[in-house]
Amino acid sequence: MIEKLENLTIAQFIDLICGDTSVLLGKHEVVSPERIALNVRNIVFEYKNIADAASAKSYLFRIEETIKAKIEVLLFTMCKNMIILGQYDSVRDVLQEYGVNGVNIMTEERLSAEVTSRLARSKLTVKEADSEQSDTKTDASQIRVEFDGQMAALMAHFKFQIDATTMKATVYAHLVGRYNREIKAKMAAMKKV
């Protein structure tokens, strides 16, 4: 099974992005869907990290924030359940460990309101993150059109032809990264004038 970006051509990488995971498998190779999904994620992240490191860091930050929000939903749901059971001291201990100040002086009603408020905010954050993810999903034909446009821009900028069936995906990612840096530098220079 292919596990690294360097073992794919850009055409295979585009097929992979469009959902064809068979490009990762050898003949007669059978791999669990979980392992394939993990490899796809790693390969796509490797591409993003080479082509646009800032975007990759932003992506990781969004994932981290989503995970934190999901953990908070679990935490505050547990606190809500403990409140229903009348375990206010346990809720105070949990919230104090979490870093909420002043929980020892809160009334039971105020404690319940604090938990309810934090739970609602966490649920909203998760909902927004899930909505943002579903908005960014595009179909295979749109992905191919975007790669074609990017490839055309690279060929015009660097003044050479790109054969997607032979060029390694890592080389292509480095070209995209270099192109992005050069365009940003030109834009910055134009602002100074």
Side-chain angles (χ1 to χ4, degrees):
M1 175 176 203
I2 294 175
E3 297 180 349
K4 295 284 186 185
L5 182 66
E6 66 190 18
N7 298 327
L8 294 172
T9 65
I10 191 58
Q12 290 171 319
F13 178 73
I14 294 169
D15 288 343
L16 181 66
I17 296 295
C18 291
D20 181 8
T21 57
S22 67
V23 299
L24 299 178
L25 303 174
K27 289 183 180 180
H28 311 296
E29 189 173 14
V30 179
V31 181
S32 72
E34 294 83 14
R35 184 165 174 221
I36 290 174
L38 181 66
N39 277 352
V40 169
R41 188 200 71 200
N42 291 343
I43 289 170
V44 169
F45 184 73
E46 185 180 354
Y47 174 85
K48 283 183 177 188
N49 201 29
I50 293 170
D52 189 0
S55 173
K57 287 178 184 175
S58 174
Y59 170 76
L60 284 178
F61 178 76
R62 285 192 312 274
I63 294 296
E64 181 182 344
E65 291 302 309
T66 302
I67 291 170
K68 283 181 185 177
K70 287 180 179 181
I71 290 170
E72 286 177 346
V73 167
L74 288 173
L75 176 76
F76 297 125
T77 300
M78 289 174 18
C79 287
K80 189 90 171 152
N81 291 336
M82 286 190 291
I83 287 172
I84 291 169
L85 296 172
Q87 300 291 320
Y88 292 99
D89 289 336
S90 296
V91 173
R92 283 186 179 91
D93 291 342
V94 170
L95 292 181
Q96 193 166 6
E97 282 296 318
Y98 181 71
V100 179
N101 295 323
V103 291
N104 291 330
I105 59 171
M106 288 183 189
T107 64
E108 292 177 354
E109 294 78 26
R110 174 69 182 105
L111 191 64
S112 180
E114 182 74 23
V115 168
T116 302
S117 171
R118 288 178 180 264
L119 178 59
R121 277 184 277 168
S122 299
K123 285 181 177 180
L124 181 63
T125 302
V126 169
K127 184 178 177 181
E128 288 171 350
D130 290 345
S131 173
E132 188 177 297
Q133 275 186 332
S134 65
D135 290 346
T136 59
K137 291 183 181 176
T138 55
D139 66 341
S141 62
Q142 182 62 31
I143 291 170
R144 290 184 190 285
V145 167
E146 288 175 9
F147 269 102
D148 286 346
Q150 184 182 58
M151 209 173 294
L154 291 174
M155 288 189 291
H157 182 78
F158 292 116
K159 299 182 182 9
F160 66 83
Q161 291 293 313
I162 294 175
D163 183 358
T165 60
T166 58
M167 181 178 276
K168 288 174 61 172
T170 50
V171 172
Y172 183 83
H174 283 288
L175 283 174
V176 171
R178 182 175 172 186
Y179 173 80
N180 288 337
R181 287 188 301 275
E182 288 179 11
I183 294 299
K184 285 178 186 175
K186 285 181 182 180
M187 296 298 282
M190 288 173 59
K191 287 181 181 179
K192 289 181 182 178
V193 172

Coordinates of all heavy atoms in Angstrom, one line a residue, residues 2 14 62 94 128 131:
I2 N 0.5 2.2 -0.8 CA 1.3 3.5 -0.9 C 0.9 4.3 0.3 O -0.3 4.5 0.6 CB 0.9 4.2 -2.2 CG1 1.5 3.4 -3.4 CG2 1.5 5.6 -2.1 CD1 1.1 4.0 -4.7
I14 N -4.6 13.5 -7.6 CA -5.9 14.1 -8.0 C -7.0 13.1 -7.9 O -8.1 13.3 -7.4 CB -5.8 14.8 -9.3 CG1 -4.9 16.0 -9.3 CG2 -7.2 15.3 -9.8 CD1 -4.5 16.6 -10.6
R62 N -7.8 24.4 13.3 CA -9.2 24.2 13.3 C -9.6 22.8 13.8 O -10.6 22.7 14.5 CB -9.8 24.4 11.8 CG -9.8 25.8 11.4 CD -10.6 26.0 10.1 NE -10.3 25.1 9.0 CZ -9.3 25.3 8.1 NH1 -8.6 26.4 8.2 NH2 -9.1 24.4 7.2
V94 N -14.8 19.5 39.3 CA -14.5 19.4 37.9 C -14.3 20.8 37.3 O -13.3 21.0 36.6 CB -15.7 18.6 37.2 CG1 -15.5 18.7 35.6 CG2 -15.7 17.2 37.6
E128 N -20.8 24.8 14.4 CA -20.2 25.7 13.4 C -19.0 25.0 12.7 O -18.9 25.1 11.4 CB -19.7 26.9 14.1 CG -20.8 27.9 14.5 CD -20.3 29.0 15.4 OE1 -19.1 29.0 15.8 OE2 -21.1 29.9 15.6
S131 N -20.5 22.5 10.2 CA -21.1 23.2 9.1 C -20.0 23.7 8.2 O -20.1 23.6 7.0 CB -21.9 24.4 9.6 OG -22.3 25.2 8.6

